[in-house]
Amino acid sequence: MQTSVVVRIHPQEAMVFGKGTPLLAGAVIAACVVLIGPSAPGDALFGRSQPVDAVKDVVPNRVMTWNLCNPCETSDVHRAAEIAKYAPQVIGLQEACVRDVESIRDHLENLHGLVYHVEYGSVLRNWGRCGGAPWNPGGYGQALLSAAPMTDRVNVEYPDGGSEDRGYLAVTTTVGGRSVRVFNTHLAERRQEAVRAKQTGVLAAAVARHDRAIVIGDFNATPDAPELTPMWELAADADPQCHPAPGSCETTTDWQSKFDYVFLRDVARLDHRVRHSPYSDHDLLLADVG
């Protein structure tokens, strides 16, 4: 009599088959590959797990900015876990692919009990950065996640992106129980000071139209860089000790430079912190505001 067959469908678990069933084993394995499909290591399986380390709610007055690093071989499960440690109300991501952001949002909800709305600020469609079909590459740029709904979305591509298209994303949402305009940007790469100066001029003109604003992102410039002058004239850094002077600000990158900012315009600063992450060449920058 044919013995029974027991299959545990998990790549790290053993499969026990009855005698004489190698063909069935191969068929089951092939079916699993088709069902799971390509993904970052562990993402699909973790996505089916029950919530772990659940958080009751986000911190309602906390904002965060993080350059994800792209291209980097990093699981979205790990990225979501880094974000969930601090549970910000608003999260600004740079070098973000649409598919990665969708995955991060799903992991935040399924694994950590954190539910976010998402708006995308893609300024580039790039197969090398974000994959996808060669004729339909993935969107790349900025993204904003907010626990509260977002309205009045504006996505602007700078007239000159430098060596790669760049822009800013802006929305109106709620932080600390109050409505505020939030901007998320990524300026031109290093050694492109003149391009960044033009980009900052475009951004600052938009920020100046709002009485209350939070501007977050990767500016690719140190605090004393002349191209950041328009931002310093409009807003203050979330760190009260950080000024446009050499050495006055905590660094935010693996190469020990401050390139990431939370600028506050008529928004009170309560606390800030920089947290190193092994999953990006940029640190997580967080600010609690009033």
Side-chain angles (χ1 to χ4, degrees), residues 1-9 14-29:
M1 181 176 63
Q2 178 69 37
T3 55
S4 61
V5 178
V6 178
V7 182
R8 295 182 175 86
I9 303 174
M15 291 185 289
V16 182
F17 294 93
K19 184 178 180 181
T21 58
L23 292 178
L24 177 58
V28 171
I29 292 170

Side-chain angles (χ1 to χ4, degrees), residues 61-266:
N61 67 330
R62 179 168 296 165
V63 298
M64 185 188 104
T65 182
W66 193 20
N67 183 312
L68 293 180
C69 181
N70 185 310
C72 286
E73 294 296 327
T74 300
S75 167
D76 292 330
V77 170
H78 293 146
R79 289 166 167 162
E82 289 288 271
I83 294 169
K85 290 178 185 178
Y86 309 103
Q89 172 82 0
V90 171
I91 305 154
L93 302 175
Q94 303 88 41
E95 297 195 15
C97 296
V98 169
R99 276 188 289 269
D100 282 333
V101 176
E102 290 174 344
S103 176
I104 291 168
R105 178 193 58 189
D106 290 345
H107 292 318
L108 284 168
E109 181 174 359
N110 296 334
L111 302 180
H112 305 283
L114 296 168
V115 179
Y116 289 97
H117 304 268
V118 179
E119 292 289 354
Y120 297 98
S122 300
V123 294
L124 182 65
R125 301 192 67 82
N126 188 291
W127 183 87
R129 291 279 196 179
C130 297
W135 58 89
N136 186 26
Y140 171 81
Q142 290 70 249
L144 281 166
L145 290 77
S146 175
M150 293 177 277
T151 61
D152 303 319
R153 170 188 173 274
V154 172
N155 185 38
V156 173
E157 182 174 346
Y158 294 125
D160 183 359
S163 56
E164 182 178 79
D165 294 346
R166 295 291 165 90
Y168 73 80
L169 170 66
V171 302
T172 298
T173 190
T174 302
V175 177
R178 299 182 64 186
S179 178
V180 64
R181 192 69 171 166
V182 178
F183 294 79
N184 180 20
T185 192
H186 188 193
L187 299 190
E189 294 175 349
R190 288 177 287 177
R191 296 180 294 278
Q192 300 182 50
E193 294 83 356
V195 176
R196 286 198 300 274
K198 295 176 183 177
Q199 294 172 348
T200 308
V202 173
L203 176 64
V207 174
R209 294 195 286 269
H210 300 273
D211 293 333
R212 300 184 73 249
I214 299 173
V215 186
I216 58 182
D218 175 6
F219 284 72
N220 269 319
T222 56
D224 58 324
E227 61 264 33
L228 294 192
T229 299
M231 287 307 308
W232 288 113
E233 292 175 346
L234 285 174
D237 194 278
D239 176 4
Q241 305 303 316
C242 183
H243 304 284
S248 65
C249 308
E250 192 171 358
T251 62
T252 63
T253 67
D254 285 356
W255 49 94
Q256 299 302 301
S257 295
K258 178 178 171 67
F259 279 2
D260 306 273
Y261 295 83
V262 176
F263 283 113
L264 305 176
R265 175 173 169 82
D266 196 29

